[in-house]
């Protein structure tokens, strides 16, 4: 089914796809999902946080929920997010063809702004649903054009005054299972299950110096924030050792002119490690290096933690139950964050992974073999039948 949305949100500049929360491509995908769900006899509703729910049969508590997201990172691949949604729809097709009907409430969900590609906070829909982020903080988030989440939701027809922890939705979720393309090379068979998610977060470093003329300002007279910003990139690589991951994927100088010494430079750090202690220690090391580099250049730096999640261990009983029902598929950890990781603190949660032969993700080259995708659909259908009977 991915071929049905292959032309939506193509990024001609970056390659891949740029589908972000409440922008035109993401809204088009939402409409596509609703149409596909209705064709299968599912009843679709939108919750107070902009998440979509397609119910097979009656709504109710102790529901089995599956799904993922439809948005992407800037220039992302075709599989991250949409694979979990299309596989859920195709799993329903397989089950309906056999005459199966779930004996417990069942729904497919599409979470809003999982990647944080527009507003900077990952898993925004599930964070709002669970209360992991305050509504006032979320609504004030701005995209690169200065549009707030509140404004974007309102423009898309949603009421921002309603966002926040959704007790009704949480009460309904008995178990949540998310299928996703594996984002590394850890899986050597078509399908596996997740054991854990690395502790991870995002930090913004703002280096402040003195804007000036690139030609008229002597080197010894400069307070150039680009220097400590560049040293932060190197410090991140140095600090990421022994399994840690530290990445600078975005750097924005202000005002951004070629012949202008920047007055400020914002740098975003993504840091991940096996547990909270190691992740925090790595960020502390990088932060110390940033302060020292700023001082040496006569600049200042402020550090803002934009999001953070401790190590997530998926429900062991649910994980083992699913793995057993699928014939003993392997379990593996992941360094990527997911809505399932946010929900795991509140409800029993599990993940299925589909093999990624190259290990490339968050890039146009992201890939999974069609045969493995088919095995993922079958595995999800078997999981729904097993847990929903």
């Amino acid at each position: 089914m991915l071929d049905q949305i292959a032309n939506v949100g193509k990024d001609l500049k970056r390659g891949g796809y740029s589908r972000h929360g409440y922008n035109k491509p993401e809204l088009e995908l939402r409409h596509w999902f609703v149409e596909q769900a209705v064709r299968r006899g599912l009843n679709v509703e939108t919750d107070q946080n902009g998440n979509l729910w397609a119910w097979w049969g009656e709504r109710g508590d102790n529901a089995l929920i599956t799904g993922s997201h439809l948005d992407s990172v800037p220039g992302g691949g075709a599989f991250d997010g949409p694979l979990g949604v299309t596989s859920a729809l195709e799993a329903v097709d397989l089950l309906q063809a056999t005459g199966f009907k779930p004996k417990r409430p069942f729904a497919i969900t599409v979470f809003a702004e999982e990647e944080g590609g527009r507003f900077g906070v990952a898993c925004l829909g599930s964070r709002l649903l669970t209360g992991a982020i305050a509504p006032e903080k979320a609504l004030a988030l701005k995209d690169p054009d200065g549009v707030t989440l509140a404004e974007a939701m309102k423009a898309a027809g949603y009421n921002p005054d309603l966002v926040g922890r959704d007790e009704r939705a949480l009460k309904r979720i008995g178990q949540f299972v998310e299928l996703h393309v594996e984002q590394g090379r850890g899986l050597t068979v078509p399908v596996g299950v997740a054991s854990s998610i690395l502790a991870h977060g995002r930090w913004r470093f703002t280096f402040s110096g003195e804007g000036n003329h690139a030609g008229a300002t002597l080197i010894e007279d400069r307070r150039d924030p680009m220097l400590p910003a560049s040293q932060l990139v190197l410090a991140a690589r140095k600090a990421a050792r022994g399994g840690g991951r530290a990445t600078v994927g975005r750097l924005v100088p202000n005002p951004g002119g070629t012949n202008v010494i920047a007055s400020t430079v914002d740098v975003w750090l993504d840091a991940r490690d096996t547990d909270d202690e190691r992740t925090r220690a790595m960020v502390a090391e990088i932060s110390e290096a940033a302060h020292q580099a700023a001082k040496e250049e006569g600049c200042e730096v402020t550090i803002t933690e934009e999001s953070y999640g401790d190590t997530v261990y998926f429900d062991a009983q649910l994980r083992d139950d699913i793995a057993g029902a699928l014939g003993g598929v392997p379990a593996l950890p992941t360094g990527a964050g997911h809505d399932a990781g946010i929900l795991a603190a509140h409800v029993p949660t599990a993940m299925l992974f589909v093999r990624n032969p190259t290990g490339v993700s968050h890039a146009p080259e992201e890939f999974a073999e069609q045969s493995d995708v088919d095995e993922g659909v079958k595995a999800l259908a078997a999981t729904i039948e097993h847990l929903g009977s």
Side-chain angles (χ1 to χ4, degrees):
M1 290 183 70
L2 287 174
D3 60 330
Q4 296 184 23
I5 58 174
N7 292 321
V8 180
K10 280 190 172 181
D11 193 319
L12 300 181
K13 180 180 178 181
R14 300 183 180 94
Y17 298 90
S18 290
R19 306 155 165 167
H20 308 311
Y22 306 109
N23 72 358
K24 183 178 179 180
E26 196 262 358
L27 291 174
E28 184 175 342
L29 292 182
R30 283 170 171 261
H31 291 307
W32 171 84
F33 172 76
V34 171
E35 291 175 353
Q36 292 296 319
V38 170
R39 288 181 186 179
R40 290 162 171 80
L42 309 184
N43 301 306
V44 183
E45 65 178 357
T46 305
D47 69 21
Q48 65 196 47
N49 296 302
N51 305 309
L52 298 174
W53 303 75
W55 293 89
W56 185 0
E58 296 297 322
R59 302 170 179 84
D61 295 345
N62 191 35
L64 173 61
I65 309 294
T66 190
S68 194
H69 60 96
L70 290 169
D71 64 303
S72 73
V73 297
F79 296 84
D80 183 356
L83 179 63
V85 176
T86 58
S87 293
L89 291 168
E90 292 185 272
V92 168
D93 289 342
L94 290 180
L95 293 169
Q96 289 182 340
T98 67
F100 172 82
K101 293 183 179 180
K103 294 181 180 180
R104 59 189 289 197
F106 170 83
I108 302 171
T109 189
V110 175
F111 285 106
E113 184 69 348
E114 192 270 354
E115 295 290 5
R118 182 174 182 183
F119 296 101
V121 175
C123 302
L124 200 50
S126 55
R127 286 182 190 275
L128 284 167
L129 183 151
T130 59
I133 186 171
E136 57 272 17
K137 178 181 178 180
L139 291 172
L141 295 170
K142 294 182 178 181
D143 70 8
D145 295 321
V147 178
T148 65
L149 173 64
E151 292 168 339
M153 291 187 71
K154 189 172 183 179
Y158 300 102
N159 187 350
D161 295 334
L162 300 179
V163 304
R165 183 178 169 92
D166 191 339
E167 296 290 352
R168 185 184 69 165
L170 276 175
K171 183 180 179 182
R172 284 179 173 174
I173 304 173
Q175 294 170 316
F176 179 74
V177 180
E178 180 174 4
L179 180 143
H180 206 280
V181 66
E182 209 259 311
Q183 292 171 282
R185 292 192 295 270
L187 194 58
T188 58
V189 295
V191 176
V193 294
S195 57
S196 61
I197 297 176
L198 299 182
H200 64 282
R202 299 181 183 184
W203 290 261
R204 184 178 76 248
F205 291 70
T206 299
F207 295 92
S208 302
E210 182 179 67
N212 217 324
H213 195 291
T217 310
L218 297 175
I219 294 297
E220 56 268 26
D221 293 337
R222 299 185 180 194
R223 295 170 48 233
D224 185 352
M226 188 63 78
L227 268 71
S230 64
Q231 291 180 57
L232 169 65
V233 178
L234 299 175
R237 172 57 67 89
K238 182 179 178 181
R241 53 183 176 269
R245 298 100 190 258
T247 306
V248 173
R250 184 181 175 204
L251 184 152
V252 179
N254 179 47
T258 303
N259 59 345
V260 179
I261 300 168
S263 56
T264 62
V265 179
D266 286 314
V267 184
W268 281 265
L269 171 73
D270 180 298
R272 310 173 189 231
D273 212 325
T274 51
D275 56 40
D276 178 77
E277 183 178 0
R278 287 174 60 88
T279 304
R280 294 290 186 184
M282 180 167 59
V283 174
E285 180 180 336
I286 296 168
S287 299
E288 182 179 352
H291 280 292
Q292 182 61 35
K295 181 180 179 180
E296 291 175 358
E297 184 62 17
C299 296
E300 297 179 349
V301 60
T302 58
I303 305 171
T304 304
E305 183 181 293
E306 294 192 334
S307 65
Y308 183 75
D310 202 350
T311 307
V312 172
Y313 296 98
F314 290 108
D315 186 277
Q317 182 176 348
L318 180 59
R319 178 199 68 210
D320 293 344
D321 188 19
I322 293 172
L326 298 179
V329 298
L332 67 159
T334 177
H338 302 280
D339 291 307
I342 302 299
L343 292 175
H346 305 272
V347 298
T349 305
M351 290 192 71
L352 293 173
F353 286 136
V354 171
R355 177 168 51 188
N356 180 341
T358 66
V360 174
S361 187
H362 281 188
E365 293 77 19
E366 183 178 79
F367 181 69
E369 295 285 355
Q370 184 59 50
S371 58
D372 287 351
V373 171
D374 293 341
E375 289 301 314
V377 172
K378 293 176 184 177
L380 183 58
T383 299
I384 295 169
E385 184 174 18
H386 175 68
L387 298 176
S389 297

